[in-house]
Amino acid sequence: NAGVTQTPKFQVLKTGQSMTLQCAQDMNHEYMSWYRQDPGMGLRLIHYSVGAGITDQGEVPNGYNVSRSTTEDFPLRLLSAAPSQTSVYFCASRGGVGNTIYFGEGSWLTVV
Amino acid sequence: GEDVEQSLFLSVREGDSSVINCTYTDSSSTYLYWYKQEPGAGLQLLTYIFSNMDMKQDQRLTVLLNKKDKHLSLRIADTQTGDSAIYFCAETGYALNFGKGTSLLVTP
């Protein structure tokens, strides 16, 4: 049982490039989400999904796309990277006792 | 939307108790959580409390919940240098809503 797995852990992008952050969970949780963490801003919700085929916008969705074709996977796509997207990204899934959120280890993204 | 509020910094001496406070927004939150984040790492669930409880104790951790005031606190007894980290409270809504985190510094 690996929990929530995110890749890559570190990435440097040039402005305008696109990329996908991968997220997978093996706990059969319906709910998955992506957060970004910036200094002094705490965690902000980008997108979330309550089940396969269903996604919705969070607090800061602009510049990001998600899809949920399976229960296990919830990739986050940066369409055209901007320096403002330099951040630490956390994928999370939610379920089980206490409806607990489980986080991945984070992806450090720098856009130059 | 409304924010979950936490003080940003707390400094305590090793061996003392630490109390981290949080004011949340959604009175219908079913669960309230405390997470710990060490430098360069992800968020680790410390504990959670069900909304119909007033208190929960788990070893050195005590969570107090005042639903009337929407106030949540985390007390760490006998604080150690390894407790130095950022602590986040979070409430459940349709998504999990986090505070900005309290940086706890434990000095020898």
Side-chain angles (χ1 to χ4, degrees):
Chain A
N1 190 342
V4 179
T5 305
Q6 276 182 248
T7 56
K9 192 165 178 70
F10 299 99
Q11 182 73 50
V12 178
L13 282 179
K14 292 184 179 179
T15 297
Q17 286 185 317
S18 62
M19 78 157 296
T20 299
L21 298 176
Q22 301 291 344
C23 178
Q25 53 94 6
D26 60 0
M27 297 173 281
N28 204 32
H29 289 166
E30 293 293 333
Y31 182 95
M32 295 184 73
S33 54
W34 277 100
Y35 292 86
R36 59 178 288 174
Q37 186 178 29
D38 302 291
M41 302 292 289
L43 284 145
R44 292 184 292 171
L45 181 66
I46 304 171
H47 285 285
Y48 65 97
S49 168
V50 297
I54 306 168
T55 63
D56 210 342
Q57 295 182 349
E59 183 184 354
V60 288
N62 292 339
Y64 307 95
N65 249 356
V66 292
S67 59
R68 186 91 181 273
S69 55
T70 66
T71 300
E72 294 77 19
D73 299 299
F74 191 44
L76 178 73
R77 279 181 285 277
L78 280 71
L79 309 171
S80 176
S84 61
Q85 293 178 301
T86 294
S87 188
V88 184
Y89 291 85
F90 289 98
C91 177
S93 74
R94 181 174 171 185
V97 176
N99 206 17
T100 304
I101 278 213
Y102 298 89
F103 284 90
E105 293 189 347
S107 297
W108 274 253
L109 176 67
T110 301
V111 183
V112 297
Chain B
E2 294 179 75
D3 291 335
V4 174
E5 299 284 348
Q6 294 180 242
S7 53
L8 292 181
F9 300 103
L10 177 65
S11 179
V12 300
R13 289 189 180 273
E14 192 173 19
D16 288 349
S17 292
S18 308
V19 179
I20 302 171
N21 294 302
C22 170
T23 303
Y24 63 96
T25 62
D26 188 350
S27 59
S28 66
S29 292
T30 307
Y31 294 96
L32 295 139
Y33 304 86
W34 283 103
Y35 283 85
K36 176 184 180 183
Q37 186 180 32
E38 295 180 356
L43 278 80
Q44 170 198 356
L45 177 68
L46 277 181
T47 187
Y48 65 90
I49 187 167
F50 191 49
S51 60
N52 69 351
M53 298 170 64
D54 298 323
M55 185 182 85
K56 180 179 180 181
Q57 187 147 5
D58 184 0
Q59 299 182 337
R60 292 191 297 123
L61 304 178
T62 303
V63 178
L64 296 178
L65 175 60
N66 180 331
K67 285 191 70 176
K68 175 176 170 290
D69 294 336
K70 296 183 194 170
H71 185 263
L72 183 73
S73 68
L74 174 70
R75 179 177 180 270
I76 305 173
D78 187 25
T79 313
Q80 303 297 308
T81 54
D83 294 324
S84 292
I86 302 176
Y87 292 80
F88 293 91
C89 69
E91 61 178 357
T92 50
Y94 205 53
L96 207 64
N97 190 21
F98 286 85
K100 290 183 169 53
T102 299
S103 292
L104 174 64
L105 176 65
V106 183
T107 57

